[in-house]
Amino acid sequence: MSNDGARRHLVLVGLMGAGKTTVGAACATRLARPFVDTDDVVEANTGMTVAELFAHEGEARFRELERQAVVDACATPAPAVIACGGGAVVDADNRRRLHRAGFVVWLQGAPATLMAGRPLLEGRGTATLERLAVVRAAAYEATADALVDTDGRTVHEVVDAVLEVYGQ
Ligand code: S3P
């Protein structure tokens, strides 16, 4: 498909630990584009970390701020690479907006793989991620144009796979 015109951004979605930020930043470098991470936008707009927001203002407030961050990211004038927080696609407005604004790639890995890079999740079992993987699968699928499997691949290989499905 064409990735010009209205759907000009490259958007990465997927569970926490899937590598959206690392892979997105590397894709942005390769494409010589700005990189926008919705969690970073929320943190910059509030002066609080995502963890602080969850703790002090609650998840509902975080999701409101995240929705605004998705609006802002999609409105980036230059074609960008956008990494979304893992839960952004749960919101139907976000799903529609991201799908309209970009070519959406779902980075998918097994929960055990996702945990490996996350010291905060390690030791807590894969139950949370396994549950989220099931609950969110339909939302990721509905948003995504393509799926890239991250299991057993280096960051470099995942970046190559993303750019290949993106047609770059
Ligand atoms: C979340 C994922 C996080 C962050 C927040 C909630 C989720 O982003 O937005 O902690 O609900 O899956 P990453 O996917 O970048 O870790």
Side-chain angles (χ1 to χ4, degrees), residues 48-89:
M48 293 171 86
T49 66
V50 171
E52 286 166 348
L53 280 164
F54 266 73
H56 301 304
E57 313 237 355
E59 179 170 356
R61 175 68 183 138
F62 170 76
R63 296 299 173 195
E64 270 176 38
L65 293 160
E66 183 177 58
R67 202 172 304 125
Q68 188 56 49
V70 168
V71 172
D72 293 348
C74 290
T76 304
V81 178
I82 301 171
C84 294
V89 299

PDB file of all heavy atoms in Angstrom, residues 48-89:
ATOM      1  N   MET A  48       5.949  14.575  34.748  1.00  0.00           N
ATOM      2  CA  MET A  48       5.914  13.388  35.615  1.00  0.00           C
ATOM      3  C   MET A  48       6.245  12.156  34.787  1.00  0.00           C
ATOM      4  O   MET A  48       5.983  12.133  33.575  1.00  0.00           O
ATOM      5  CB  MET A  48       4.507  13.203  36.223  1.00  0.00           C
ATOM      6  CG  MET A  48       4.115  14.291  37.201  1.00  0.00           C
ATOM      7  SD  MET A  48       2.364  14.147  37.651  1.00  0.00           S
ATOM      8  CE  MET A  48       2.475  12.981  38.992  1.00  0.00           C
ATOM      9  N   THR A  49       6.785  11.143  35.435  1.00  0.00           N
ATOM     10  CA  THR A  49       7.013   9.888  34.728  1.00  0.00           C
ATOM     11  C   THR A  49       5.679   9.145  34.617  1.00  0.00           C
ATOM     12  O   THR A  49       4.735   9.430  35.361  1.00  0.00           O
ATOM     13  CB  THR A  49       8.019   8.981  35.478  1.00  0.00           C
ATOM     14  OG1 THR A  49       7.421   8.578  36.715  1.00  0.00           O
ATOM     15  CG2 THR A  49       9.339   9.696  35.744  1.00  0.00           C
ATOM     16  N   VAL A  50       5.644   8.181  33.706  1.00  0.00           N
ATOM     17  CA  VAL A  50       4.426   7.376  33.555  1.00  0.00           C
ATOM     18  C   VAL A  50       4.101   6.684  34.881  1.00  0.00           C
ATOM     19  O   VAL A  50       2.944   6.660  35.313  1.00  0.00           O
ATOM     20  CB  VAL A  50       4.600   6.340  32.417  1.00  0.00           C
ATOM     21  CG1 VAL A  50       3.439   5.358  32.406  1.00  0.00           C
ATOM     22  CG2 VAL A  50       4.722   7.048  31.066  1.00  0.00           C
ATOM     23  N   ALA A  51       5.116   6.176  35.543  1.00  0.00           N
ATOM     24  CA  ALA A  51       4.895   5.485  36.829  1.00  0.00           C
ATOM     25  C   ALA A  51       4.311   6.453  37.858  1.00  0.00           C
ATOM     26  O   ALA A  51       3.385   6.090  38.605  1.00  0.00           O
ATOM     27  CB  ALA A  51       6.206   4.884  37.329  1.00  0.00           C
ATOM     28  N   GLU A  52       4.819   7.684  37.886  1.00  0.00           N
ATOM     29  CA  GLU A  52       4.285   8.683  38.839  1.00  0.00           C
ATOM     30  C   GLU A  52       2.836   9.011  38.507  1.00  0.00           C
ATOM     31  O   GLU A  52       2.003   9.168  39.400  1.00  0.00           O
ATOM     32  CB  GLU A  52       5.132   9.955  38.805  1.00  0.00           C
ATOM     33  CG  GLU A  52       6.487   9.803  39.489  1.00  0.00           C
ATOM     34  CD  GLU A  52       7.456  10.949  39.175  1.00  0.00           C
ATOM     35  OE1 GLU A  52       7.189  11.768  38.255  1.00  0.00           O
ATOM     36  OE2 GLU A  52       8.507  11.006  39.848  1.00  0.00           O
ATOM     37  N   LEU A  53       2.547   9.128  37.222  1.00  0.00           N
ATOM     38  CA  LEU A  53       1.166   9.445  36.823  1.00  0.00           C
ATOM     39  C   LEU A  53       0.201   8.339  37.262  1.00  0.00           C
ATOM     40  O   LEU A  53      -0.875   8.628  37.799  1.00  0.00           O
ATOM     41  CB  LEU A  53       1.090   9.632  35.310  1.00  0.00           C
ATOM     42  CG  LEU A  53       1.568  10.997  34.815  1.00  0.00           C
ATOM     43  CD1 LEU A  53       1.830  10.966  33.317  1.00  0.00           C
ATOM     44  CD2 LEU A  53       0.541  12.070  35.157  1.00  0.00           C
ATOM     45  N   PHE A  54       0.589   7.089  37.007  1.00  0.00           N
ATOM     46  CA  PHE A  54      -0.263   5.979  37.435  1.00  0.00           C
ATOM     47  C   PHE A  54      -0.460   6.027  38.953  1.00  0.00           C
ATOM     48  O   PHE A  54      -1.573   5.846  39.448  1.00  0.00           O
ATOM     49  CB  PHE A  54       0.373   4.625  37.056  1.00  0.00           C
ATOM     50  CG  PHE A  54      -0.092   4.077  35.735  1.00  0.00           C
ATOM     51  CD1 PHE A  54       0.325   4.648  34.539  1.00  0.00           C
ATOM     52  CD2 PHE A  54      -0.940   2.983  35.668  1.00  0.00           C
ATOM     53  CE1 PHE A  54      -0.084   4.144  33.309  1.00  0.00           C
ATOM     54  CE2 PHE A  54      -1.364   2.465  34.445  1.00  0.00           C
ATOM     55  CZ  PHE A  54      -0.932   3.050  33.272  1.00  0.00           C
ATOM     56  N   ALA A  55       0.633   6.283  39.685  1.00  0.00           N
ATOM     57  CA  ALA A  55       0.572   6.233  41.145  1.00  0.00           C
ATOM     58  C   ALA A  55      -0.227   7.399  41.729  1.00  0.00           C
ATOM     59  O   ALA A  55      -1.010   7.222  42.655  1.00  0.00           O
ATOM     60  CB  ALA A  55       1.990   6.214  41.726  1.00  0.00           C
ATOM     61  N   HIS A  56      -0.035   8.592  41.171  1.00  0.00           N
ATOM     62  CA  HIS A  56      -0.615   9.782  41.809  1.00  0.00           C
ATOM     63  C   HIS A  56      -1.919  10.251  41.178  1.00  0.00           C
ATOM     64  O   HIS A  56      -2.733  10.887  41.830  1.00  0.00           O
ATOM     65  CB  HIS A  56       0.402  10.931  41.812  1.00  0.00           C
ATOM     66  CG  HIS A  56       1.673  10.589  42.523  1.00  0.00           C
ATOM     67  ND1 HIS A  56       1.692  10.156  43.830  1.00  0.00           N
ATOM     68  CD2 HIS A  56       2.959  10.566  42.108  1.00  0.00           C
ATOM     69  CE1 HIS A  56       2.942   9.895  44.190  1.00  0.00           C
ATOM     70  NE2 HIS A  56       3.730  10.124  43.158  1.00  0.00           N
ATOM     71  N   GLU A  57      -2.102  10.002  39.887  1.00  0.00           N
ATOM     72  CA  GLU A  57      -3.298  10.527  39.213  1.00  0.00           C
ATOM     73  C   GLU A  57      -4.216   9.410  38.717  1.00  0.00           C
ATOM     74  O   GLU A  57      -5.331   9.672  38.298  1.00  0.00           O
ATOM     75  CB  GLU A  57      -2.884  11.419  38.037  1.00  0.00           C
ATOM     76  CG  GLU A  57      -1.790  12.418  38.408  1.00  0.00           C
ATOM     77  CD  GLU A  57      -2.181  13.848  38.147  1.00  0.00           C
ATOM     78  OE1 GLU A  57      -3.260  14.068  37.587  1.00  0.00           O
ATOM     79  OE2 GLU A  57      -1.392  14.723  38.501  1.00  0.00           O
ATOM     80  N   GLY A  58      -3.697   8.194  38.694  1.00  0.00           N
ATOM     81  CA  GLY A  58      -4.528   7.062  38.292  1.00  0.00           C
ATOM     82  C   GLY A  58      -4.433   6.768  36.797  1.00  0.00           C
ATOM     83  O   GLY A  58      -4.051   7.625  35.990  1.00  0.00           O
ATOM     84  N   GLU A  59      -4.802   5.543  36.452  1.00  0.00           N
ATOM     85  CA  GLU A  59      -4.681   5.135  35.048  1.00  0.00           C
ATOM     86  C   GLU A  59      -5.606   5.934  34.137  1.00  0.00           C
ATOM     87  O   GLU A  59      -5.229   6.275  33.009  1.00  0.00           O
ATOM     88  CB  GLU A  59      -4.964   3.632  34.881  1.00  0.00           C
ATOM     89  CG  GLU A  59      -4.861   3.218  33.415  1.00  0.00           C
ATOM     90  CD  GLU A  59      -4.898   1.732  33.167  1.00  0.00           C
ATOM     91  OE1 GLU A  59      -4.923   0.949  34.149  1.00  0.00           O
ATOM     92  OE2 GLU A  59      -4.889   1.348  31.971  1.00  0.00           O
ATOM     93  N   ALA A  60      -6.827   6.251  34.624  1.00  0.00           N
ATOM     94  CA  ALA A  60      -7.778   6.951  33.745  1.00  0.00           C
ATOM     95  C   ALA A  60      -7.205   8.293  33.286  1.00  0.00           C
ATOM     96  O   ALA A  60      -7.322   8.666  32.111  1.00  0.00           O
ATOM     97  CB  ALA A  60      -9.099   7.157  34.478  1.00  0.00           C
ATOM     98  N   ARG A  61      -6.570   9.006  34.210  1.00  0.00           N
ATOM     99  CA  ARG A  61      -5.957  10.299  33.849  1.00  0.00           C
ATOM    100  C   ARG A  61      -4.801  10.085  32.858  1.00  0.00           C
ATOM    101  O   ARG A  61      -4.654  10.821  31.894  1.00  0.00           O
ATOM    102  CB  ARG A  61      -5.461  10.991  35.126  1.00  0.00           C
ATOM    103  CG  ARG A  61      -4.708  12.292  34.868  1.00  0.00           C
ATOM    104  CD  ARG A  61      -5.615  13.391  34.338  1.00  0.00           C
ATOM    105  NE  ARG A  61      -4.875  14.602  34.020  1.00  0.00           N
ATOM    106  CZ  ARG A  61      -5.078  15.341  32.929  1.00  0.00           C
ATOM    107  NH1 ARG A  61      -6.013  15.018  32.049  1.00  0.00           N
ATOM    108  NH2 ARG A  61      -4.366  16.425  32.715  1.00  0.00           N
ATOM    109  N   PHE A  62      -4.000   9.031  33.126  1.00  0.00           N
ATOM    110  CA  PHE A  62      -2.918   8.724  32.191  1.00  0.00           C
ATOM    111  C   PHE A  62      -3.479   8.467  30.795  1.00  0.00           C
ATOM    112  O   PHE A  62      -2.936   8.947  29.800  1.00  0.00           O
ATOM    113  CB  PHE A  62      -2.102   7.512  32.658  1.00  0.00           C
ATOM    114  CG  PHE A  62      -1.144   7.022  31.608  1.00  0.00           C
ATOM    115  CD1 PHE A  62       0.041   7.701  31.346  1.00  0.00           C
ATOM    116  CD2 PHE A  62      -1.446   5.908  30.829  1.00  0.00           C
ATOM    117  CE1 PHE A  62       0.911   7.282  30.343  1.00  0.00           C
ATOM    118  CE2 PHE A  62      -0.595   5.475  29.824  1.00  0.00           C
ATOM    119  CZ  PHE A  62       0.589   6.165  29.578  1.00  0.00           C
ATOM    120  N   ARG A  63      -4.586   7.714  30.699  1.00  0.00           N
ATOM    121  CA  ARG A  63      -5.152   7.394  29.375  1.00  0.00           C
ATOM    122  C   ARG A  63      -5.649   8.649  28.660  1.00  0.00           C
ATOM    123  O   ARG A  63      -5.545   8.745  27.432  1.00  0.00           O
ATOM    124  CB  ARG A  63      -6.277   6.357  29.508  1.00  0.00           C
ATOM    125  CG  ARG A  63      -5.830   4.999  30.034  1.00  0.00           C
ATOM    126  CD  ARG A  63      -4.804   4.322  29.137  1.00  0.00           C
ATOM    127  NE  ARG A  63      -4.279   3.095  29.758  1.00  0.00           N
ATOM    128  CZ  ARG A  63      -3.178   2.472  29.337  1.00  0.00           C
ATOM    129  NH1 ARG A  63      -2.472   2.925  28.326  1.00  0.00           N
ATOM    130  NH2 ARG A  63      -2.755   1.381  29.946  1.00  0.00           N
ATOM    131  N   GLU A  64      -6.188   9.611  29.435  1.00  0.00           N
ATOM    132  CA  GLU A  64      -6.590  10.891  28.824  1.00  0.00           C
ATOM    133  C   GLU A  64      -5.382  11.602  28.227  1.00  0.00           C
ATOM    134  O   GLU A  64      -5.423  12.112  27.106  1.00  0.00           O
ATOM    135  CB  GLU A  64      -7.139  11.833  29.906  1.00  0.00           C
ATOM    136  CG  GLU A  64      -8.616  11.769  30.170  1.00  0.00           C
ATOM    137  CD  GLU A  64      -8.953  12.697  31.346  1.00  0.00           C
ATOM    138  OE1 GLU A  64      -8.362  13.796  31.466  1.00  0.00           O
ATOM    139  OE2 GLU A  64      -9.799  12.277  32.147  1.00  0.00           O
ATOM    140  N   LEU A  65      -4.315  11.645  29.013  1.00  0.00           N
ATOM    141  CA  LEU A  65      -3.088  12.310  28.551  1.00  0.00           C
ATOM    142  C   LEU A  65      -2.494  11.570  27.358  1.00  0.00           C
ATOM    143  O   LEU A  65      -1.973  12.178  26.414  1.00  0.00           O
ATOM    144  CB  LEU A  65      -2.072  12.373  29.694  1.00  0.00           C
ATOM    145  CG  LEU A  65      -2.471  13.276  30.864  1.00  0.00           C
ATOM    146  CD1 LEU A  65      -1.685  12.916  32.116  1.00  0.00           C
ATOM    147  CD2 LEU A  65      -2.254  14.747  30.488  1.00  0.00           C
ATOM    148  N   GLU A  66      -2.598  10.249  27.386  1.00  0.00           N
ATOM    149  CA  GLU A  66      -2.085   9.436  26.287  1.00  0.00           C
ATOM    150  C   GLU A  66      -2.892   9.703  25.004  1.00  0.00           C
ATOM    151  O   GLU A  66      -2.332   9.783  23.907  1.00  0.00           O
ATOM    152  CB  GLU A  66      -2.162   7.954  26.676  1.00  0.00           C
ATOM    153  CG  GLU A  66      -1.595   7.011  25.627  1.00  0.00           C
ATOM    154  CD  GLU A  66      -1.615   5.561  26.096  1.00  0.00           C
ATOM    155  OE1 GLU A  66      -2.716   5.044  26.419  1.00  0.00           O
ATOM    156  OE2 GLU A  66      -0.547   4.934  26.162  1.00  0.00           O
ATOM    157  N   ARG A  67      -4.227   9.847  25.169  1.00  0.00           N
ATOM    158  CA  ARG A  67      -5.066  10.137  23.995  1.00  0.00           C
ATOM    159  C   ARG A  67      -4.632  11.454  23.354  1.00  0.00           C
ATOM    160  O   ARG A  67      -4.521  11.564  22.136  1.00  0.00           O
ATOM    161  CB  ARG A  67      -6.540  10.194  24.408  1.00  0.00           C
ATOM    162  CG  ARG A  67      -7.513   9.964  23.270  1.00  0.00           C
ATOM    163  CD  ARG A  67      -8.958   9.828  23.771  1.00  0.00           C
ATOM    164  NE  ARG A  67      -9.085   8.773  24.754  1.00  0.00           N
ATOM    165  CZ  ARG A  67      -9.597   8.926  25.985  1.00  0.00           C
ATOM    166  NH1 ARG A  67     -10.049  10.089  26.387  1.00  0.00           N
ATOM    167  NH2 ARG A  67      -9.667   7.911  26.804  1.00  0.00           N
ATOM    168  N   GLN A  68      -4.345  12.456  24.201  1.00  0.00           N
ATOM    169  CA  GLN A  68      -3.884  13.741  23.669  1.00  0.00           C
ATOM    170  C   GLN A  68      -2.507  13.591  23.005  1.00  0.00           C
ATOM    171  O   GLN A  68      -2.236  14.205  21.969  1.00  0.00           O
ATOM    172  CB  GLN A  68      -3.831  14.791  24.793  1.00  0.00           C
ATOM    173  CG  GLN A  68      -3.545  16.212  24.298  1.00  0.00           C
ATOM    174  CD  GLN A  68      -4.553  16.675  23.241  1.00  0.00           C
ATOM    175  OE1 GLN A  68      -5.760  16.551  23.427  1.00  0.00           O
ATOM    176  NE2 GLN A  68      -4.052  17.187  22.099  1.00  0.00           N
ATOM    177  N   ALA A  69      -1.662  12.752  23.604  1.00  0.00           N
ATOM    178  CA  ALA A  69      -0.329  12.532  23.021  1.00  0.00           C
ATOM    179  C   ALA A  69      -0.447  11.880  21.647  1.00  0.00           C
ATOM    180  O   ALA A  69       0.331  12.189  20.730  1.00  0.00           O
ATOM    181  CB  ALA A  69       0.514  11.657  23.954  1.00  0.00           C
ATOM    182  N   VAL A  70      -1.416  10.983  21.482  1.00  0.00           N
ATOM    183  CA  VAL A  70      -1.629  10.346  20.175  1.00  0.00           C
ATOM    184  C   VAL A  70      -2.089  11.400  19.161  1.00  0.00           C
ATOM    185  O   VAL A  70      -1.611  11.432  18.017  1.00  0.00           O
ATOM    186  CB  VAL A  70      -2.649   9.183  20.283  1.00  0.00           C
ATOM    187  CG1 VAL A  70      -3.105   8.717  18.910  1.00  0.00           C
ATOM    188  CG2 VAL A  70      -2.048   8.022  21.075  1.00  0.00           C
ATOM    189  N   VAL A  71      -2.998  12.276  19.588  1.00  0.00           N
ATOM    190  CA  VAL A  71      -3.446  13.363  18.707  1.00  0.00           C
ATOM    191  C   VAL A  71      -2.241  14.203  18.274  1.00  0.00           C
ATOM    192  O   VAL A  71      -2.043  14.484  17.086  1.00  0.00           O
ATOM    193  CB  VAL A  71      -4.494  14.259  19.417  1.00  0.00           C
ATOM    194  CG1 VAL A  71      -4.808  15.505  18.589  1.00  0.00           C
ATOM    195  CG2 VAL A  71      -5.765  13.474  19.707  1.00  0.00           C
ATOM    196  N   ASP A  72      -1.421  14.596  19.253  1.00  0.00           N
ATOM    197  CA  ASP A  72      -0.257  15.452  18.959  1.00  0.00           C
ATOM    198  C   ASP A  72       0.741  14.727  18.047  1.00  0.00           C
ATOM    199  O   ASP A  72       1.275  15.308  17.110  1.00  0.00           O
ATOM    200  CB  ASP A  72       0.459  15.853  20.256  1.00  0.00           C
ATOM    201  CG  ASP A  72      -0.388  16.771  21.129  1.00  0.00           C
ATOM    202  OD1 ASP A  72      -1.421  17.270  20.640  1.00  0.00           O
ATOM    203  OD2 ASP A  72      -0.024  16.976  22.305  1.00  0.00           O
ATOM    204  N   ALA A  73       0.986  13.443  18.346  1.00  0.00           N
ATOM    205  CA  ALA A  73       1.959  12.690  17.545  1.00  0.00           C
ATOM    206  C   ALA A  73       1.482  12.583  16.101  1.00  0.00           C
ATOM    207  O   ALA A  73       2.258  12.787  15.156  1.00  0.00           O
ATOM    208  CB  ALA A  73       2.163  11.301  18.142  1.00  0.00           C
ATOM    209  N   CYS A  74       0.194  12.278  15.925  1.00  0.00           N
ATOM    210  CA  CYS A  74      -0.341  12.139  14.560  1.00  0.00           C
ATOM    211  C   CYS A  74      -0.308  13.473  13.823  1.00  0.00           C
ATOM    212  O   CYS A  74      -0.246  13.505  12.594  1.00  0.00           O
ATOM    213  CB  CYS A  74      -1.763  11.579  14.592  1.00  0.00           C
ATOM    214  SG  CYS A  74      -1.831   9.860  15.106  1.00  0.00           S
ATOM    215  N   ALA A  75      -0.355  14.570  14.564  1.00  0.00           N
ATOM    216  CA  ALA A  75      -0.353  15.904  13.943  1.00  0.00           C
ATOM    217  C   ALA A  75       1.056  16.404  13.634  1.00  0.00           C
ATOM    218  O   ALA A  75       1.211  17.501  13.087  1.00  0.00           O
ATOM    219  CB  ALA A  75      -1.065  16.896  14.869  1.00  0.00           C
ATOM    220  N   THR A  76       2.075  15.630  13.976  1.00  0.00           N
ATOM    221  CA  THR A  76       3.456  16.023  13.644  1.00  0.00           C
ATOM    222  C   THR A  76       3.514  16.341  12.158  1.00  0.00           C
ATOM    223  O   THR A  76       3.137  15.501  11.338  1.00  0.00           O
ATOM    224  CB  THR A  76       4.438  14.869  13.966  1.00  0.00           C
ATOM    225  OG1 THR A  76       4.283  14.504  15.321  1.00  0.00           O
ATOM    226  CG2 THR A  76       5.870  15.273  13.699  1.00  0.00           C
ATOM    227  N   PRO A  77       3.943  17.554  11.804  1.00  0.00           N
ATOM    228  CA  PRO A  77       3.855  17.956  10.396  1.00  0.00           C
ATOM    229  C   PRO A  77       4.709  17.091   9.459  1.00  0.00           C
ATOM    230  O   PRO A  77       4.253  16.693   8.390  1.00  0.00           O
ATOM    231  CB  PRO A  77       4.356  19.405  10.381  1.00  0.00           C
ATOM    232  CG  PRO A  77       4.564  19.821  11.793  1.00  0.00           C
ATOM    233  CD  PRO A  77       4.459  18.619  12.679  1.00  0.00           C
ATOM    234  N   ALA A  78       5.928  16.769   9.883  1.00  0.00           N
ATOM    235  CA  ALA A  78       6.780  15.939   9.015  1.00  0.00           C
ATOM    236  C   ALA A  78       6.416  14.478   9.232  1.00  0.00           C
ATOM    237  O   ALA A  78       6.025  14.095  10.334  1.00  0.00           O
ATOM    238  CB  ALA A  78       8.235  16.170   9.383  1.00  0.00           C
ATOM    239  N   PRO A  79       6.554  13.646   8.195  1.00  0.00           N
ATOM    240  CA  PRO A  79       6.353  12.210   8.399  1.00  0.00           C
ATOM    241  C   PRO A  79       7.283  11.729   9.509  1.00  0.00           C
ATOM    242  O   PRO A  79       8.476  12.037   9.491  1.00  0.00           O
ATOM    243  CB  PRO A  79       6.735  11.587   7.059  1.00  0.00           C
ATOM    244  CG  PRO A  79       6.586  12.692   6.067  1.00  0.00           C
ATOM    245  CD  PRO A  79       6.922  13.955   6.805  1.00  0.00           C
ATOM    246  N   ALA A  80       6.724  11.015  10.469  1.00  0.00           N
ATOM    247  CA  ALA A  80       7.486  10.628  11.664  1.00  0.00           C
ATOM    248  C   ALA A  80       7.395   9.130  11.882  1.00  0.00           C
ATOM    249  O   ALA A  80       6.634   8.427  11.208  1.00  0.00           O
ATOM    250  CB  ALA A  80       6.923  11.363  12.885  1.00  0.00           C
ATOM    251  N   VAL A  81       8.185   8.653  12.814  1.00  0.00           N
ATOM    252  CA  VAL A  81       8.018   7.300  13.349  1.00  0.00           C
ATOM    253  C   VAL A  81       7.436   7.472  14.746  1.00  0.00           C
ATOM    254  O   VAL A  81       7.987   8.214  15.563  1.00  0.00           O
ATOM    255  CB  VAL A  81       9.350   6.536  13.401  1.00  0.00           C
ATOM    256  CG1 VAL A  81       9.139   5.149  14.008  1.00  0.00           C
ATOM    257  CG2 VAL A  81       9.972   6.435  12.008  1.00  0.00           C
ATOM    258  N   ILE A  82       6.302   6.820  14.999  1.00  0.00           N
ATOM    259  CA  ILE A  82       5.591   6.986  16.268  1.00  0.00           C
ATOM    260  C   ILE A  82       5.551   5.651  17.005  1.00  0.00           C
ATOM    261  O   ILE A  82       5.041   4.662  16.472  1.00  0.00           O
ATOM    262  CB  ILE A  82       4.144   7.467  16.028  1.00  0.00           C
ATOM    263  CG1 ILE A  82       4.129   8.797  15.273  1.00  0.00           C
ATOM    264  CG2 ILE A  82       3.394   7.579  17.357  1.00  0.00           C
ATOM    265  CD1 ILE A  82       2.732   9.234  14.808  1.00  0.00           C
ATOM    266  N   ALA A  83       6.113   5.633  18.217  1.00  0.00           N
ATOM    267  CA  ALA A  83       5.989   4.444  19.076  1.00  0.00           C
ATOM    268  C   ALA A  83       4.893   4.721  20.093  1.00  0.00           C
ATOM    269  O   ALA A  83       4.922   5.743  20.780  1.00  0.00           O
ATOM    270  CB  ALA A  83       7.315   4.171  19.781  1.00  0.00           C
ATOM    271  N   CYS A  84       3.932   3.813  20.170  1.00  0.00           N
ATOM    272  CA  CYS A  84       2.799   4.015  21.084  1.00  0.00           C
ATOM    273  C   CYS A  84       2.984   3.202  22.357  1.00  0.00           C
ATOM    274  O   CYS A  84       3.450   2.065  22.298  1.00  0.00           O
ATOM    275  CB  CYS A  84       1.508   3.543  20.422  1.00  0.00           C
ATOM    276  SG  CYS A  84       1.061   4.538  19.027  1.00  0.00           S
ATOM    277  N   GLY A  85       2.564   3.763  23.473  1.00  0.00           N
ATOM    278  CA  GLY A  85       2.496   2.977  24.702  1.00  0.00           C
ATOM    279  C   GLY A  85       1.645   1.741  24.449  1.00  0.00           C
ATOM    280  O   GLY A  85       0.700   1.776  23.640  1.00  0.00           O
ATOM    281  N   GLY A  86       1.980   0.654  25.136  1.00  0.00           N
ATOM    282  CA  GLY A  86       1.339  -0.634  24.862  1.00  0.00           C
ATOM    283  C   GLY A  86      -0.179  -0.644  24.955  1.00  0.00           C
ATOM    284  O   GLY A  86      -0.839  -1.426  24.281  1.00  0.00           O
ATOM    285  N   GLY A  87      -0.736   0.252  25.786  1.00  0.00           N
ATOM    286  CA  GLY A  87      -2.187   0.247  25.973  1.00  0.00           C
ATOM    287  C   GLY A  87      -2.935   1.251  25.122  1.00  0.00           C
ATOM    288  O   GLY A  87      -4.175   1.331  25.184  1.00  0.00           O
ATOM    289  N   ALA A  88      -2.220   2.010  24.297  1.00  0.00           N
ATOM    290  CA  ALA A  88      -2.873   3.092  23.539  1.00  0.00           C
ATOM    291  C   ALA A  88      -3.987   2.573  22.632  1.00  0.00           C
ATOM    292  O   ALA A  88      -5.021   3.224  22.464  1.00  0.00           O
ATOM    293  CB  ALA A  88      -1.824   3.864  22.719  1.00  0.00           C
ATOM    294  N   VAL A  89      -3.797   1.380  22.068  1.00  0.00           N
ATOM    295  CA  VAL A  89      -4.768   0.878  21.088  1.00  0.00           C
ATOM    296  C   VAL A  89      -6.061   0.361  21.723  1.00  0.00           C
ATOM    297  O   VAL A  89      -6.999   0.011  21.011  1.00  0.00           O
ATOM    298  CB  VAL A  89      -4.183  -0.257  20.217  1.00  0.00           C
ATOM    299  CG1 VAL A  89      -2.987   0.219  19.428  1.00  0.00           C
ATOM    300  CG2 VAL A  89      -3.813  -1.466  21.075  1.00  0.00           C
TER     301      VAL A  89
END
